[in-house]
Amino acid sequence: MTILAAIAAIEQLTKMHNRKRDIPATRYYFWLQIGVNVALVCCVFLPLKDQLFPFLTNMSSVYLICAIFLIGILLCYLCERRIRNIRVGKDKYQKLIATFKKIN
């Protein structure tokens, strides 16, 4: 995941010089991150939890970890949705950016 995150970050940095709308590596990373978070949420409630998360000793810590994973899933989905809107031309800031370019 760290290597894929680095690839996505490099792709984001190249967006400053490249004006293409699609960023496939970043999109792939977000969907994979959603999948990993869903799998980890499922593992928290399975007996496999003891090997993966030995620090989860009570149910309140289990719920805290689940909340963190669910927040991660939500944030990845929102980022993916934003990328999709930019890709199909429905981004709400696109008109503002075009107006700014005309002024300057």
Side-chain angles (χ1 to χ4, degrees):
M1 289 303 296
T2 304
I3 293 169
L4 291 175
I7 292 170
I10 290 169
E11 185 178 50
Q12 291 294 314
L13 289 173
T14 60
K15 282 296 287 177
M16 289 186 269
H17 305 291
N18 183 350
R19 299 295 179 201
K20 67 179 183 163
R21 288 186 177 191
D22 195 19
I23 43 176
T26 303
R27 290 178 44 234
Y28 176 73
Y29 170 74
F30 282 137
W31 283 113
L32 186 64
Q33 183 68 48
I34 289 172
V36 168
N37 282 1
V38 167
L40 288 173
V41 166
C42 293
C43 287
V44 165
F45 294 106
L46 295 175
L48 184 63
K49 168 188 75 164
D50 296 331
Q51 285 80 28
L52 291 176
F53 306 106
F55 53 88
L56 296 179
T57 56
N58 55 15
M59 285 308 285
S60 63
S61 60
V62 168
Y63 293 140
L64 176 67
I65 291 295
C66 282
I68 291 170
F69 288 145
L70 292 174
I71 290 169
I73 291 169
L74 178 67
L75 289 174
C76 285
Y77 176 74
L78 291 174
C79 290
E80 170 58 33
R81 193 171 124 191
R82 178 78 191 270
I83 292 170
R84 183 176 42 86
N85 286 344
I86 290 170
R87 219 176 71 229
V88 298
K90 291 185 178 179
D91 186 39
K92 62 182 177 180
Y93 296 108
Q94 202 166 19
K95 291 178 186 175
L96 181 66
I97 292 169
T99 304
F100 180 75
K101 283 182 181 179
K102 286 180 184 177
I103 292 172
N104 286 332

